[in-house]
């Protein structure tokens, strides 16, 4: 049994980590911190955990996280970079669900996140926690930069095409749609029920933090210059993400060969479901599960490939992926504790 | 491993049985029937089951259900009564999620369900499948009448008060609210998204089938004549049920003693969570789980007790309860395969 | 044309007043105040008003509201009582959408709202703005205490029965359900989309501010002591309120006579729709309109009457009712500018 | 006062026509037909119309529509083409909300709609009812083919760019999202609340009827060959449509000039709101109103223009647009009866 700590357990990725880890057979939940809720039983804030999680929140000043084998940071950007050095020095592995170590270029990080990076010496070492593309590095890692929900869908969707060198990497379009829980558990007017229910809108169209992260990762798989237009939208649903990806073919290829590219790329990936060509995956088919499902289309047989990708933004797009990384880092089977079937309806 | 069959697997209680049974450690899913969908892989209809359930629907004419140890009927009223006699004769246990065997009075059944009862000889033997109140009988049963969602909340909410003899059994009021999945997976205008979203209404206020069922069961716990007003409402949410129960105290009792009555009644029940006095349980704290949560109130200290009860109508209110009965019937621990934590948010 | 000012226009009752008043033929919108948004065009905050409302928010320090004929307070409790005396002294009529003048008993007000009353000399003069029951007084009023959404449904639902003296006034039960917009446009976690969507719960069951207000008003129509249990619930919909009211008959009366009582009581009320006996009104049938619809039931012919009442909480339950009062105060036809048909679907 | 008939009034575009026409100052509602609901008062089906619309549905066999000045067909494809010839011969104008006369190429119509065209002699005469681009022809028309919701957003979004000749017409992408009411009021499993709530998916990605219609119309404004990828999605909201349009610039142009192109194109159009450059229009800002709002973006200053377009699919995308056409055909001001302000929240 490994000892696990969670820093910042009052948000949605925090409670989702708890839901997954509470029934993980190889894990002992040891500490969960919150400065504001010190002493409050976790189950008083999240009644879904009554009878399952007995921990109370502890102030970070009191919690001794160096006793843990691994600590998850389910915190705003900037927290992990402050605390990771000491934990790593004490032999504790760190999985950051925020952006602190996702970008290899420090200047780009500081431009988009508008905070100075306080642990630049760790940037190089940090491993990008996308198991399907980085499995071996994750197994060896001490420090994981867990990708966010949008970049996960875009990378797993474009990867096989880029790798095969059959699309124009300079004109990628990702029209993506996220459930509201992606905005986190923060008191804000814009995500009130009365503001976001029965409504649909785009946001951040002029430029979004996830574009440079995704473009930089995609560049690893192609010699072309990557050009990516990324348009996020807000969907009136709690969980779920749907990316509609557009790529222009530069080589002749038939539908069966396209499909085979994807099936090959993910044949060893338990959490990527390549659906039959022409399917329309629904976000609810992943609700509460760690599965990402995708399907290919070629509208009217033309030279544009449309890839439809769905996942639960809080699971495969955040906490489930983090647990998947933890499994790899500690020698568990990659799917341990992650076999929840999606809740449908 | 016991062999399990499901008759009528294309509805919501059917797919929910599959979600639960697919990961139940003591069960082998053997057959699932549907006349209309013969040959269709189950996962083609319910993509949440891709990679988990390999079965295809079989026409009931072809399926040999007598090879099963137990058969669940997730069917409209009238189907189980037609097929149960032959299955029981072949040594197969039967759990009916519909109403065929819920009412001990045949005439009352026929009045409310408007069909003749074709297996009246089994009515007496059938055991009402509410484990918290009928555990011992269920263990011995061959034929289970699984209660519906509304009656479960009403019975578990009123039971401790009736048993203690401290309320007026003749003036019970149950104001209950159900998610839309309670109406089933049927093509009907009234439960279209565009009809039931952003809307709230009562229905069947003049009289509802669940009233006589509930009143008859409650009568087992009191010498008084039971009078029950039951008002169902439709909530724009998929899963979840909330019952707001009103009872008038006829004896002096303080809040702590009231609370103790409930804690005592359910101290051995893993799936009833008696929350602290004055709590407001939320349906989402049970979403996807088999937990029923309840809390007591006494508005302005008067002589009316308000009991708030929540559950997931498809789990504790239907398929989860059926699996709970199955566990008891076959000697499994009652909670086997039912430890899913609610999905929140 | 009368000149109208709005204090506190950034909440939901504020924007709803704007929607209604912008097309009212007898009104000139003169000023709308907000300390925080001084200078911001109203249509920048509420794009639904682009091209229709040209006003910008003004800081209350700069706005000269004494030039108005009437000022609406769409503010938190406590603001109107501070500003009303000066406005009234300047000959301006005042309509308060908050609670400052709803309770005739100052001590009760201070107990429930936990603030001292700073204009107690106006309490007696203030007229309770429920046109259907107080039409003549409203016509003469300088200061209106506009009732909230819950009290409106409860009063219009119970009134004909109390007036007729045929129910037990001591055992009234109001099980009421509100859309989330009733909680206002405030940054709070509890009303985030991800918290309140796909969820249902009760709140404030131990005691709620609207109970003493409603009980006091109902007492005007009966000699009996009024006893009222009021249970509010939160529904995952934006607009709409549904009250399910329970009353015990103390006299013999048949269904037709019951129905006639209600039809008589509201025969001159353009905004109360008494539906056929046994109907199930839906909240959406009032979405965006000033109509309140109600229907009577008598479950299984017993001695309990169930009254189902629906309205749009932001219109008949707030801003529409306020405009209805304004119409009466200024000699307009009561329905002027309030003929919007509900948006269905 | 002109006499108006509606054929097929039981769907969503039918009830929306009624909501708009019931308060139109120049219209007398004369007949509304439904074979199935003959004799049923309209307000019994749509209680939002109680007290406002007194008509009952009439069987088409009994209704004498030749007495009308104009007849709207809110029917499935194929009905208008059968009945229009006789009505036109009797001097009645016809507005078809279905697709019968939208495609000028009969073979294309028959390929996509899979029914033979029974009034091919009228195809040429029929005027495409998009007032912003076809105003003068509509004024003279006897027969209007009212565009659907998707084509309206795509045409009004791409038109100014195509007209100006500054984009590559061969690589247009329209990623569009519709509320569920777009699927109509039909009893189908796929649009049940429990299927489409808390869910998001694409559909018809391989090819959709609206693609040839839109491409044909767009071709009128450019000499280039039009290539259009159109991807429709289903959003869990009742009303509202959001199109995210992507076009590649082929000429140098700055943001201000781009913006000016659109402001110019729609300066005389009361129902097209060109928002400030870089805005993010929300569907709810058009809920229940006839406004279409759009805004331009240029992600990271590159050569892709993104146009965000929103409207209410049942108003500007269907019934409101039809009434707008009627206004033009009968000499009313174009905006008569269409000044409803969007319901927000």
């Amino acid at each position: 049994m490994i000892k696990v700590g969670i820093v910042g357990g009052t948000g949605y990725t925090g409670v989702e980590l708890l839901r997954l880890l509470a029934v993980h057979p190889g894990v002992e939940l040891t500490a969960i911190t919150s400065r504001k809720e010190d002493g409050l039983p976790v189950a008083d804030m999240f009644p879904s955990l009554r009878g399952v999680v007995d921990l109370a929140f502890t102030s970070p000043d009191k919690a001794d996280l160096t006793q843990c084998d691994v600590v998850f940071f389910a915190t705003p950007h900037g927290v992990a970079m402050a605390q990771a050095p000491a934990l790593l020095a004490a032999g504790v592995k760190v999985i950051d669900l925020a952006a602190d170590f996702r970008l290899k270029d420090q200047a780009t990080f500081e431009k988009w996140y508008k905070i100075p990076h306080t642990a630049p010496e760790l940037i190089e070492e940090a491993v990008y926690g996308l198991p399907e593309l980085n499995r071996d590095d994750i197994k060896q890692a001490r420090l994981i930069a867990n990708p966010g929900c949008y970049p996960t869908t875009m990378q797993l969707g474009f990867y096989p095409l880029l790798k095969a060198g059959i699309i124009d990497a300079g004109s990628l379009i990702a029209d993506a749609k996220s459930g509201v829980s992606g905005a986190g558990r923060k008191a804000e007017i814009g995500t009130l029920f009365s503001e976001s229910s029965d409504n649909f809108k785009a946001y951040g169209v002029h430029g979004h933090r996830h574009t440079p992260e995704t473009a930089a990762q995609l560049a690893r798989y192609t010699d072309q210059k990557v050009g990516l237009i990324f348009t996020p939208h807000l969907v009136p649903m709690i969980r779920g993400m749907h990316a509609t990806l557009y790529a222009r073919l530069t080589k002749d290829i038939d539908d069966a060969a396209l499909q085979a590219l994807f099936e090959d790329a993910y044949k060893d990936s338990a959490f990527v479901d390549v659906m039959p060509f022409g399917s329309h995956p629904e976000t609810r088919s992943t609700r509460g599960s760690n599965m990402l499902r995708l399907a290919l289309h070629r509208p009217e047989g033309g030279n544009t490939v449309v890839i439809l990708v769905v996942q639960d933004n809080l699971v495969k797009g955040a906490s489930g992926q983090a647990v998947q990384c933890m499994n790899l880092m500690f020698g568990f089977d990659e799917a341990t504790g992650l076999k929840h079937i999606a809740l449908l309806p």
Side-chain angles (χ1 to χ4, degrees), chain A residues 223-246:
Chain A
D223 294 331
Q224 304 175 61
K225 185 165 172 7
V226 171
L228 171 67
I229 303 281
F230 164 52
T231 317
H233 301 76
L234 193 65
V235 184
M237 63 183 176
I238 298 178
R239 290 166 179 252
M241 171 160 289
H242 186 291
T244 311
L245 310 177
Y246 300 87

Side-chain angles (χ1 to χ4, degrees), chain A residues 156-157 160 256 258-279 281 291-296 307-308:
Chain A
L156 296 180
L258 266 178
Q259 178 76 6
L261 271 184
F262 278 75
E263 292 183 353
D264 252 35
Y266 300 119
K267 66 178 186 298
D268 297 325
S269 292
F271 297 118
V272 177
D273 175 20
V274 180
M275 298 178 71
F277 195 92
S279 298
M291 293 299 296
L292 175 147
R293 303 188 199 274
L294 58 80
L296 302 174
I307 311 109
L308 307 177

Side-chain angles (χ1 to χ4, degrees), chain A residues 12 19-20 27 32 40 48 70-71 82 107 115 144 147 170 186 194 223 225 235 238 270 296 321 331 338:
Chain A
Y12 293 142
R19 182 178 73 92
L20 298 171
V27 155
I32 176 160
L40 184 79
S48 52
V70 60
V71 170
I115 48 174
I144 294 287
K186 286 172 305 217
S194 301
D223 294 331
K225 185 165 172 7
V235 184
I238 298 178
L296 302 174
Q321 185 139 273
L338 291 173

Side-chain angles (χ1 to χ4, degrees), chain A residues 130-150:
Chain A
L130 192 53
E132 288 73 16
L133 305 186
N134 267 355
R135 194 168 278 118
D136 293 337
D137 287 347
I138 294 168
K139 286 181 182 168
Q140 312 302 326
R142 290 195 310 159
L143 171 59
I144 294 287
N146 202 58
C149 40
Y150 284 122

Side-chain angles (χ1 to χ4, degrees), chain A residues 53 113 156 220 242 269 297 299 314 317:
Chain A
V53 173
Y113 290 90
L156 296 180
R220 297 167 57 186
H242 186 291
S269 292
H297 288 257
L314 294 180

